[in-house]
Amino acid sequence: MSVSELRFSLADVAGVRLAVSPVNETVMSMWALASPVYYAVHLPWIDRARVTLRRPEVAARVRPLVELTRPHCWLPDFLTPAARPNVEMAEQLDQIAATPPEVVVRDLLATTPRRPLGAFGRALLTDPSGLLPQVVDALRVWYDEAIAPDWPRMRALLEADVAYRAAQLAEGGAGQLFEQLHPSLRWLGDRVISDDPFERDFDLRGRGLALNPGVFTDRRVLWNLLEDSLPAGVYPVRAVGTLWETAATPPGDPLARVIGPGRAALLHLLETAVTTTDLARRAGMSAGNVSQHLAALHAAGLVSRSRQGRHVLYRNTEVAAALLRASGGG
């Protein structure tokens, strides 16, 4: 079995950080479009995104991104920069736009062992300064057209995962975090062993490691591990199967007769931590209505809330979980 090794110093362990990266989702969503059978959980999004990509004005501007995200090939590291907490898409686009030409060329050449670059990739190799703005424009257009409408929902799921992993890191240290991050990873005290086809032996050299959960990352942890890139890894987010749910209160739900159908519907959606905005989208309610229900549920001890960056996340308490089990006959 092929493996990669990431070697940590004490400074690297202290520099492990978790964040949500909007540009990662924008880039990696292209894989779901190219191989929908492998991303069946995202079919509701794929159906909408395909309609968007068929619009001529979108297709023409997004073409550079399509060419640089070839299925089964490595991504250029400059397209997926290490994300810091609370980073916004505009900041990441500025970071990509400032990529030095020699780094663009280096990252492109690193992606070619399995398959040659397409026409735009070859042109970018010869004129990185002149064509990089087209790449940034493609990212901006695709985010605005295909990702932004669903970004509150995606961000809520990703931030809930970050909160969960941060608690693991605080309670059990780096060992517990990496052992439970993904089945392909093992922590050996001063290194992470990753079961993957990349076969990298990489020393973090005191730069730490940025870890980003990914909606469109489904099989393994993906690494930015070129020597001059900031080290980063994208791992599959937890509970991705709930991302496109629009579940309402189950028919005949006994709990709805006690606390009302609106509040019961929210409890059924709060098994993972989510924001008010995401709850409103999934429950088909207004944000104001959701806020009123959450305030009542929180006052009754059925919902907990915690702050993650600029967002407040809500989740069922153990009391709510017991009520849901009892109302379901459990």
Side-chain angles (χ1 to χ4, degrees), residues 19-189:
V20 170
S21 173
V23 82
N24 279 358
E25 304 310 326
T26 305
V27 171
M28 295 175 186
S29 69
M30 285 294 167
W31 288 341
L33 280 183
S35 305
V37 69
Y38 294 110
Y39 294 86
V41 70
H42 298 302
L43 283 177
W45 177 85
I46 291 171
D47 289 342
R48 296 194 300 272
R50 282 183 157 179
V51 172
T52 299
L53 193 57
R54 283 197 292 267
R55 289 162 44 198
E57 68 276 14
V58 173
R61 293 176 66 182
V62 174
R63 184 178 63 85
L65 179 59
V66 175
E67 287 207 25
L68 293 178
T69 53
R70 298 162 295 159
H72 313 299
C73 290
W74 295 349
L75 291 170
D77 276 8
F78 74 86
L79 278 185
T80 55
R84 61 173 179 77
N86 302 317
V87 71
E88 298 291 343
M89 183 66 174
E91 299 172 71
Q92 292 192 292
L93 291 178
D94 288 344
Q95 184 178 353
I96 293 170
T99 306
E102 63 274 15
V103 174
V104 174
V105 171
R106 178 206 69 186
D107 289 359
L108 287 173
L109 291 176
T111 70
T112 58
R114 293 189 176 188
R115 188 183 304 172
L117 292 167
F120 180 82
R122 295 193 300 271
L124 186 60
L125 270 178
T126 60
D127 186 14
S129 296
L131 294 181
L132 185 59
Q134 291 188 31
V135 177
V136 176
D137 181 66
L139 287 164
R140 181 180 292 109
V141 169
W142 189 241
Y143 175 81
D144 289 345
E145 295 288 343
I147 301 299
D150 293 302
W151 181 239
R153 178 192 297 260
M154 294 182 188
R155 183 179 61 197
L157 185 71
L158 295 166
E159 289 180 340
D161 188 283
V162 165
Y164 177 82
R165 304 297 180 181
Q168 285 184 321
L169 183 62
E171 293 169 4
Q176 178 173 314
L177 172 68
F178 285 107
E179 287 286 348
Q180 298 184 25
L181 194 67
H182 193 263
S184 65
L185 302 185
R186 301 186 302 282
W187 174 253
L188 297 184

Side-chain angles (χ1 to χ4, degrees), residues 294-303 317 319:
L294 288 174
L297 292 169
H298 181 263
L302 298 177
V303 167
T317 63
V319 176

